[in-house]
Amino acid sequence: MLFWVLPNSGVGTVSHLTALLSEFSREYPHIKVELAVLTRESLWREIFGFQREPRRSAGADIIQFPHYWTALLVRLGILAELGELDSRLSSVTEWIEPLRPHCLLPGTQQVYSVPWWMDVSALHYRVDHLREVSSNPDEQLARWDGFLEACEALSRLKKGGTYFPLENSNMRGSVTIRDVLPCMWNRGGDIFNSSSTRAVAHRDESLRGMEDFLQLFRKGYMPLMRERGSLGTLLEGKASMTISRRLSQSVLPQGEEPDFEVKTLPVPGELFGSHSYLSSYNLGVARGGKNQRDAVTLLKWLTGTEQQLRYSQMIHAFPPSTAGFERFIFSSHERMRTYSGIVAGARTVPNVMVCGTYMTVLDSTLSRLAMELARGAWNPALLMQAMVKVQVEMDYLLSLYGE
Amino acid sequence: MALPTELLYRYHKELNQPFADSRELLVRALDLMAGQLKLDQVCFFDWTPDESLLSQRLVWRAGAAMDMEEDIAVAGGSPLRAVLEHGGVYVSQNLNYPALYIPVQWKGGGRRLAGRPETGDEPRLGALRMERLKKSWAFSSREKELARGLADELAHNLSHAELDQFNREQLNRAHALNELTGVFASSMRVEDGMRLILQGIQRYFGFDRVRLYLVSHAERKLKGELSADARGQVRSLAHEQIPLQPGVHRFADIVLGNSAGDAVTDNYRETVIYLPLTVQGKSVGLLIVDNLLSQQPILQEDMVSLSSFAGQIALAVDNAMLFEQVQELSQFDELTRLPLRRYFNERFQEEMYRAERFAQPMALIWLDIDFFKEVNDAYGHQIGDQVLFEAGRVILSNLRKIDFPCRYGGDEIIILLPQARADDARAIAARLAQEISEIRVPVPFAKAGEVRVSVSQGIATYPGDAASGEELLARADEALYWVKSHGRGGVAVYSQVFAKKPSDPGLLPNPLPSKKDQPPKKQG
C-alpha cells in the first residue's frame, strides 16, 4: 500500500513515520506500507498527473494533504467517500470545530478526509534575550509596532555573525502565504471575501498585512533563502524569536526543555486584533485504489487519539481531535495558558475548490517577490501589481469553479 | 577506499540501466553516492541562473529519498555562484559541518514550456550538496575528485533518462493523437459531435479545460459553444457571444488575426493556448485550452501537437457543425422550429417506455388552430405561415423543459407532457390557449387590420385514458374532435368528456376571438 505523505518533520519525516508505523505493522502484520514523501508542489503535480492518466501513474492508496484541498480532490474524483467505506468515518464531530468543514464535500455531509495533525501560528521568544531590550516583553510583543521595535533593538544589540532577531520557521527558507496570513487578518485583510466568492488579496488592508510580514526580511530581521542549517536557531542563541506554527520550546515534553526560558504569545496584533493561522493535514483514501480496505485501516489507526497524540508530539505539532487536543492542553498549566487562547482565536482558509490553486498561485507569487527581496531589488509597487494579477486570475477561476 | 576509477565504474554500471524517469534515477544515484562517499545526507537542487536560485528537489538521508524544499538565493559574484557557472567543487562556508556543492549539467530531453522563446539546445542545470553531519569529518581532495566524477556520471545518465522519458512521452502523445483522430472521425456522423471533440482533446492532452467558440459569419459573432473540464463536465457556453470586431474582445482579435499578444495573454502564456480554427482559409472557431486550475505549465510539445492538429480539429468542428445543421433540418420544422413527426415518434417511444418502466404519468395535447384553412384561403399562405410561426413561438416559450412538442402535420400540433397528469395538462393547455389568443398577425388589407386565432385542444393521459402510445394519440384526437364538434376554441380531457356530459368541467371555455376578427367562413 502506497502512502503519500508531506515532509511533516523535514528530513526526519521518514524516520519518524517508520518508528510510528512499526507499531502499526505489529498490530497489522499483513499490511505493508510504502512511504513516498512529497512536497506540496510535487504532491500537487502527482495528483493532477494521476487524475489525467490514472492508468499510467502509480497512484497512492492513502494521501496526506492540506485540509483546504479536500473539495478540489473530491471534485477531481481522487478521493473516496469515507462513510461509504466505513460507517464509523461518516461523522466529523470528533474533530475540533473549525476543522470539521474541511473534511466534507462543501454543501454536503459526506466525509472525504479526516485530520491527522494540525499546527497553529504563534510567536515564541527567548526570555533572556528579550529582557535585554524590553522591560515588559509580553506587553511589547502584543502589538506589531512593539514587535518591530524589539526586532530593531535586538538587531542593534546582537550585530554580526549569523544572528537574526527572528528565526525563519519556513521549511523552504522562503515565505509562503501561510506565514503571511495572520498579518493580513490582523490588518482586516484576507484572501477571500466572506462568502468565498471573490479574491480580495489585492485590497489595501490585505496588502498592508503582507507588507508587514515582508518587511521583516526587508529590514534584515529574518533570514531569507539561505542555506538551511547555515543559520543559528533560537535554541543556539543565534535568534531571539520566531513566528512558527509548530509547538514551541515553551511547552515541549519533559526531557526536551532547553536550559533557558521560551515564552509563547499570539502573533503580534494590529488594528483588527491578533489572529493565528490554523491548518490541519488531512488523510484521504484514493478512489478506486486497490487497497482501500487496508488504507481505511491505516487511516483509522493514524487518526485514533493515541496515535495522533504520539505523532503530533514527535513532530512538535498538535492533535486535531477534541479529545486529543484537550489531553494535550490539560497536560500542563503552561500549555493550557498558552494555547487555549491562541487556538480559540485562530482562523483558517476555506475548503472551496479553487483554494488550493489560489494558495499555490499566492505561494509562487510570494516566492518571486522573495527573490526580489533577496536580491535587494524590492519595490513596493511589485506587491500590488502581483496581487492585482492574482486577483484577476482567481476571480476568473472562482467564476468557473465556484461552489 | 578503492580507487576512484573502480568506484566510478561500479557507479556507472549501477546507473546504466533503464529508469522510469529522472527521479527514479536520482534516487538510485544519491543512494549510491552516499554509500561511496560515506555521506549522511545528499541533496539535489535545480539551478536557475536567471533567478540566481538553487531550488531543492530531492534529499537522500538514512536510506530514504524524499522530495524536499529549500530555496537558496545565490548572490552574484559569490564563490558558490562561480562554481555553479564554471564548474568545480565549492565547500560550504556557512554550514557548520562539511558540505560540498558540485554543479551538474546535462543535456535536456527536449521538454520546453509553451510560450517560452526557442533558445536552442540549452543544457539543464542542477547541483548536488553532499553533507557529512560530523563537524570533524572534512572531505579529502581525493573524495572531492570522486564526488566530481560521480556528479559527471550522474549528468551523463540524467541526459539519457530524460531523453528516454521524452521519447516515451512522445510515443504516448502519438498514440493519443491517433486515438483522437478516431474520435474526430466518429464525431463527424454522430450527435453531440462537438462534445466528443472537446472531451477527446481534454482527455488525450490532459488539459484542465477546453473551450470552443464558433464563428457565426452571418451574425458577425463569436459564439460560445461548449466547455469540457478536468471533472469530466461539459457545459454550454451559449451565454457567451462576442461581436467579431477588432478591439472589442481579445478572443475576437485572435480570430481576426489582429492579436499580437496583450498583457492578459502574456500573463498566462504558459497555462493558456488560443488556437484559431480555419477551414480553407475561412475562420470556423476558436479553441482555448488551459491549465489554470492545476497551474501546470503546458509543454511546448503539447502546443506543437495541438497546433499541428488544428487543421483536423477545425475540419472535425466544421463537419460536426454541418452534421448538426443537417440533423436540425431533418428533425425540426423550418417554419415553426418545432420538431417534426419522425423526431417526435422517436421521443414518444422513449417517453412511453420511461413512463411504463418507472410507472410515471404522461399526458398528450393534440392542438389544432381553428379555421386555419380559412385564414390561408382568405389572406394567403404568407399570413397562414405567420400564424403558424407565432403559434410555434408561443408553444416553445410556454412549455416545461421536459415537454416535447411536434408539428404533426398542417396546423396540427402535438405536445407530449412527461410526468404530467390531466390537471397539469389542462393548466398548460389553458395557458397556451390564452397566449395564442393574444397573437396578432397584421394584415393591412383585412378589415380589422390584423388576424387573431384560437385553438382547440384535446387531452388524453397515460395510464388513465390509454394503455399504449397509439391509444394515447387516438384518445387525444377523439378529445380534440369532441371540442371541434362542440364549438371549437376549448380544451377537453378525454376521460372527462366521454364519461360526463358536455356541461361538466371537462370542457374548458377558451377566450375566443370576437367574431369580427375571425376569418370569414368559406361559403359552401
Side-chain angles (χ1 to χ4, degrees), chain A residues 7 10-14 36-45 48 51-53 55-56 72 75-76 162 171-174 224-231 236 353-354 356-357 360-361 364 367-368 371 374-375 389 392-394 396-397 399-402, chain B residues 23 41 50-53 55-57 59 61 64-74 80 90 92-97 101 129 172 175-176 179 202-203 205-209 211 213 229-232 235 251 267-268 271 290-296:
Chain A
V11 289
T13 302
V14 169
V37 181
L38 305 172
T39 60
R40 275 167 198 259
E41 206 179 314
S42 54
L43 176 63
W44 182 262
R45 232 181 6 247
F48 275 95
Q51 193 265 335
R52 281 173 185 146
E53 295 180 274
R55 284 170 300 176
R56 287 171 200 164
L72 173 74
R75 298 276 189 218
L76 290 177
T162 51
M171 210 175 265
R172 192 174 195 142
S174 182
L224 180 65
M225 301 169 95
R226 309 278 187 103
E227 288 169 270
R228 187 189 295 145
S230 69
L231 300 157
E236 292 164 335
M353 190 172 166
V354 302
T357 307
T360 302
V361 170
S364 59
S367 266
R368 281 198 299 276
M371 280 305 309
R375 261 189 244 156
K389 276 186 195 169
V392 170
E393 186 170 353
M394 285 308 120
Y396 182 53
L397 271 184
S399 73
L400 296 171
Y401 299 103
Chain B
R23 190 188 185 279
Q41 188 164 293
D50 293 350
E51 294 173 11
S52 305
L53 180 68
S55 186
Q56 196 175 73
R57 205 202 291 183
V59 171
R61 184 177 171 129
M66 297 167 270
D67 285 7
M68 206 58 65
E69 293 175 324
E70 182 184 346
D71 285 352
I72 304 171
V74 182
L80 173 57
Y90 171 75
S92 175
Q93 303 301 303
N94 299 320
L95 297 169
N96 56 8
Y97 49 81
Y101 281 92
R129 186 170 69 200
N172 289 341
H175 284 311
E179 286 179 47
Q202 192 279 321
R203 191 170 142 216
F205 284 93
F207 298 123
D208 291 353
R209 198 164 50 115
R211 284 171 288 168
Y213 292 79
D229 66 26
R231 293 175 287 181
R235 292 198 304 188
F251 292 1
N267 276 343
Y268 305 125
T271 47
D290 74 69
N291 276 356
L292 288 169
L293 184 68
S294 65
Q295 294 289 309
Q296 300 300 299

